[in-house]
Amino acid sequence: MQARQRPAGAMVEAMSGAAERGVAPPRAVVRDVYLRVHGAIACIAFLSLGWQVDVLYGDSGLLPVAPFLDAIRERTSLGQMPTILWWGAGETALRVVASAGVAASGALALGCAPRLCLVAIWIFYLSFVAVGRDFLDFQWDNLLLESTFFALFVAPSGWRLRGAPPPHRLGVFLMLWLVFRLHVESGAAKLLSGDPTWRDLTAMVAYYETAPLPTWLGWYAHQLPVWAHQLTALATLVAELAVPLLIWLGRGPRRLAFAVLASLQLGVVLTANYTFFNYLTLALCLFVLDDRDMPAWLRAGAAARSRPPAWRQAAGGLIGAAFVLLSFVPFSRFVAPLPALDAVRATIGPWRTINAYHLFASMTLVRREAVIEGSDDGATWHPYEFHYKPGDVHRPPAFVAPHQPRVDFRLWFLLLGRRWGAPYFDVLLDRILHEPQAVAPLFAQQPFARVGPRFVRVVVYRYRFTDWDEGWRTGAWWSREQVTTSRVRERR
């Protein structure tokens, strides 16, 4: 037992001595834990996408990839659309790429060949994102790509993760810079957007009710008084704009920053479903800590710190400075248009690896939902019930993250703006009429499963969370009122 405890004790002593000398303690253990968690999250992302890939991008999917690439092949370069699907985008190819992503992610979670796995994850996920259009244009898809890329700077070479030397300071800095930007840009965007609800601290009054896919705990949070929502909005701004400054200070402030940022993410996880985003953000926040904050059993066997040669330190500084300067470009549009940077944005944009983050910059205050209904006679209508998006007012909002039902989530955006609609939604209605089996996985309740209905229509409702009294009296989580009905479509 003593022989096993000695390395951990020596490691703690070395780290404490380093801290006393003003040298940043190593993050070898933090790095190891993060990469394993990153692999697990990426594996979930690929599994989630793989379960839906046929209905989203297959031959009878809502946005088929193969004909899309064929249509733009002559006028689009690899740099404009970086995807390995140029060499095959049929349903088999889509499944193979998704499965390869699962395999690479799982290997990383097991600590095998970390750099090779990160490169594979980045290539495979970018290949989907590049052609994903409406269903893969979310900020968490960007964050997965960006965090995977910058994790290459902390990942060790070789075939095994455990026992590898601590990461270079450049890599640690880039991970911390990503954590810093993710929070500060999100906070700054809230104020720069001019949204009055953030300025008068009423943004959270409607937040839980209008989240794309809230949880049943979000219903309870919505019942809080206005002053509690205002305190939550203020706490959010402080957490995003002020607390990240602490990560550049000593151990005490950094531990406080981790506690606050982690609490923010846990609060979001409990009240709404934002796929793997909050889990990945929480994992990134591990770099705010150092190895002294890790459990002793994880520190056992950690490699000793080694000082890189001067030329590597100098090169690392230049690379870090270049990435810092480049990271200002995507977010600069929130501050000023700066047309001179358009060429840079156009170059880095398709790679989705240096991004701007602007979470909830503008709040949606009214929730409208499109309910699809089918009929055989044009008189009696039956609803198509999705698995997760609001429909039946008595069905409680579910916990579904870190899985993301891409269509359910995307439908939240369908009715935003004055003119609503989207190409994928038109295809969905057509599939319901003519190929109901192709879209059957999307629905928990499909009234015309074998043969499509003769007619289909879309009814728009205004949805609200019920209050305490109505909820307990009726058992309903939502109340709704009809806003409008779209033109009826008929099967030809």
Side-chain angles (χ1 to χ4, degrees):
M1 291 295 293
Q2 291 179 349
R4 292 186 64 183
Q5 292 174 352
R6 190 174 297 117
M11 189 68 182
V12 173
E13 182 179 351
M15 288 188 293
S16 300
E20 291 173 359
R21 296 190 299 272
V23 178
R27 287 177 169 84
V29 180
V30 168
R31 182 268 320 278
D32 292 356
V33 173
Y34 171 78
L35 288 178
R36 290 179 184 273
V37 174
H38 186 98
I41 292 171
C43 187
I44 292 171
F46 278 110
L47 283 171
S48 174
L49 184 57
W51 288 331
Q52 306 169 77
V53 73
D54 285 351
V55 73
L56 296 179
Y57 301 117
D59 298 337
S60 295
L62 302 184
L63 294 176
V65 171
F68 169 68
L69 289 178
D70 288 341
I72 64 172
R73 188 178 300 273
E74 299 300 325
R75 62 179 188 274
T76 306
S77 67
L78 184 64
Q80 294 170 313
M81 187 163 290
T83 176
I84 60 176
L85 295 173
W86 282 114
W87 292 276
E91 290 183 346
T92 299
L94 295 172
R95 295 170 191 162
V96 167
V97 174
S99 299
V102 171
S105 304
L108 179 61
L110 295 174
C112 303
R115 285 188 181 172
L116 181 62
C117 289
L118 286 167
V119 171
I121 291 169
W122 185 82
I123 291 174
F124 296 143
Y125 204 73
L126 177 61
S127 292
F128 277 117
V129 168
V131 300
R133 290 162 286 172
D134 285 355
F135 299 123
L136 279 164
D137 65 347
F138 299 105
Q139 292 182 64
W140 39 86
D141 297 313
N142 293 347
L143 182 63
L144 181 57
L145 287 170
E146 187 164 1
S147 59
T148 300
F149 177 77
F150 285 113
L152 287 167
F153 291 88
V154 297
S157 58
W159 297 100
R160 295 184 59 209
L161 180 59
R162 185 167 178 78
H168 190 279
R169 286 183 298 175
L170 165 66
V172 174
F173 169 77
L174 290 175
M175 298 303 286
L176 285 173
W177 182 244
L178 177 55
V179 174
F180 182 82
R181 283 197 300 113
L182 175 60
H183 290 89
V184 172
E185 287 183 1
S186 296
K190 291 175 174 61
L191 301 180
L192 292 172
S193 69
D195 189 318
T197 64
W198 283 112
R199 301 193 178 190
D200 64 14
L201 301 180
T202 60
M204 303 302 291
V205 173
Y207 163 76
Y208 304 103
E209 181 179 78
T210 59
L213 295 178
T215 70
W216 58 267
L217 283 177
W219 182 92
Y220 286 95
H222 180 74
Q223 311 305 321
L224 294 172
V226 172
W227 63 264
H229 292 308
Q230 290 178 310
L231 284 178
T232 305
L234 178 61
T236 300
L237 291 174
V238 171
E240 291 182 339
L241 290 172
V243 171
L245 297 172
L246 301 179
I247 71 178
W248 309 112
L249 303 180
R251 186 186 183 194
R254 286 191 287 105
R255 295 175 79 176
L256 175 61
F258 176 81
V260 173
L261 298 179
S263 298
L264 175 64
Q265 299 308 316
L266 290 174
V268 178
V269 166
L270 291 174
T271 56
N273 293 285
Y274 290 100
T275 182
F276 54 81
F277 175 70
N278 303 106
Y279 299 93
L280 181 54
T281 302
L282 187 57
L284 285 166
C285 288
L286 287 172
F287 279 94
V288 177
L289 304 175
D290 60 57
D291 286 359
R292 294 171 296 175
D293 301 308
M294 295 291 103
W297 62 272
L298 284 175
R299 296 197 300 264
R305 182 177 181 128
S306 59
R307 186 177 181 84
W311 70 267
R312 285 190 62 189
Q313 296 185 60
L318 291 175
I319 293 172
F323 278 122
V324 168
L325 291 174
L326 203 57
S327 68
F328 285 111
V329 174
F331 191 76
S332 63
R333 63 187 177 88
F334 285 90
V335 182
L338 299 176
L341 297 178
D342 287 348
V344 180
R345 294 191 191 99
T347 301
I348 66 176
W351 301 90
R352 305 278 283 274
T353 300
I354 298 178
N355 306 288
Y357 299 97
H358 44 90
L359 304 167
F360 305 107
S362 298
M363 299 302 295
T364 299
L365 304 181
V366 175
R367 181 181 205 104
R368 295 186 298 163
E369 291 288 347
V371 176
I372 302 172
E373 296 180 342
S375 173
D376 270 341
D377 56 12
T380 303
W381 295 89
H382 303 278
Y384 281 74
E385 192 78 16
F386 286 82
H387 290 285
Y388 303 107
K389 92 174 193 68
D392 180 359
V393 297
H394 290 89
R395 189 184 65 188
F399 279 90
V400 61
H403 168 57
Q404 183 183 3
R406 298 274 172 172
V407 176
D408 293 60
F409 202 100
R410 191 70 212 180
L411 283 169
W412 181 83
F413 298 86
L414 182 72
L415 301 177
L416 299 183
R418 295 181 178 179
R419 298 184 62 183
W420 63 272
Y424 78 86
F425 190 70
D426 292 333
V427 175
L428 173 59
L429 297 179
D430 183 75
R431 295 285 189 267
I432 290 173
L433 288 171
H434 300 100
E435 297 180 74
Q437 292 302 313
V439 293
L442 297 175
F443 302 109
Q445 178 181 322
Q446 191 180 19
F448 303 91
R450 294 184 178 180
V451 179
R454 182 180 174 188
F455 304 99
V456 69
R457 71 179 184 181
V458 180
V459 183
V460 177
Y461 290 92
R462 163 79 183 271
Y463 272 70
R464 294 182 176 90
F465 271 148
T466 54
D467 58 24
W468 283 108
D469 292 338
E470 184 181 0
W472 290 115
R473 187 179 70 255
T474 65
W477 296 84
W478 300 96
S479 64
R480 70 182 189 180
E481 58 190 47
Q482 185 172 332
V483 176
T484 185
T485 302
S486 75
R487 179 174 61 87
V488 175
R489 297 192 182 196
E490 183 177 359
R491 186 176 69 239
R492 301 294 183 183

